[in-house]
Amino acid sequence: AEARHQLLDGSYYLVCPGSVGQPRNGVPGASYCIYDSSEKTIEFAHVNYDVEGVIRDMKDREQPEPLIQFQERMLTGR
């Protein structure tokens, strides 16, 4: 886990954990968050995955070209 935050009672939050398939933070991989309602916390995390394998599979399965064009973003996180 990368960051865990305690949420305050009576406060409102807008949470944006990032993007699983098209990161824009310069870190290839998948970003996500976990909300724990009993502990009133939110935890941001990141995992790596085989991005090149996904791109290869997309081409092999003849996915639409506009989706495949995002491969640089998938590889660089930008």
Side-chain angles (χ1 to χ4, degrees):
E2 293 181 2
R4 186 178 181 147
H5 302 279
Q6 188 69 45
L7 305 178
L8 303 174
D9 285 332
S11 295
Y12 293 91
Y13 297 88
L14 175 64
V15 178
C16 182
S19 173
V20 172
Q22 296 180 22
R24 289 160 171 80
N25 63 351
V27 182
S31 297
Y32 64 96
C33 70
I34 300 170
Y35 169 61
D36 185 330
S37 60
S38 62
E39 295 291 323
K40 297 185 180 165
T41 59
I42 190 160
E43 186 173 358
F44 291 86
H46 178 270
V47 293
N48 293 318
Y49 67 93
D50 182 12
V51 175
E52 291 176 352
V54 169
I55 293 169
R56 200 170 35 255
D57 287 347
M58 289 174 71
K59 289 178 180 177
D60 291 346
R61 290 183 172 88
E62 299 179 359
Q63 294 292 309
E65 188 60 33
L67 292 178
I68 296 171
Q69 290 175 355
F70 285 112
Q71 64 185 329
E72 183 175 338
R73 178 171 290 155
M74 292 169 64
L75 290 168
T76 64
R78 295 245 177 243

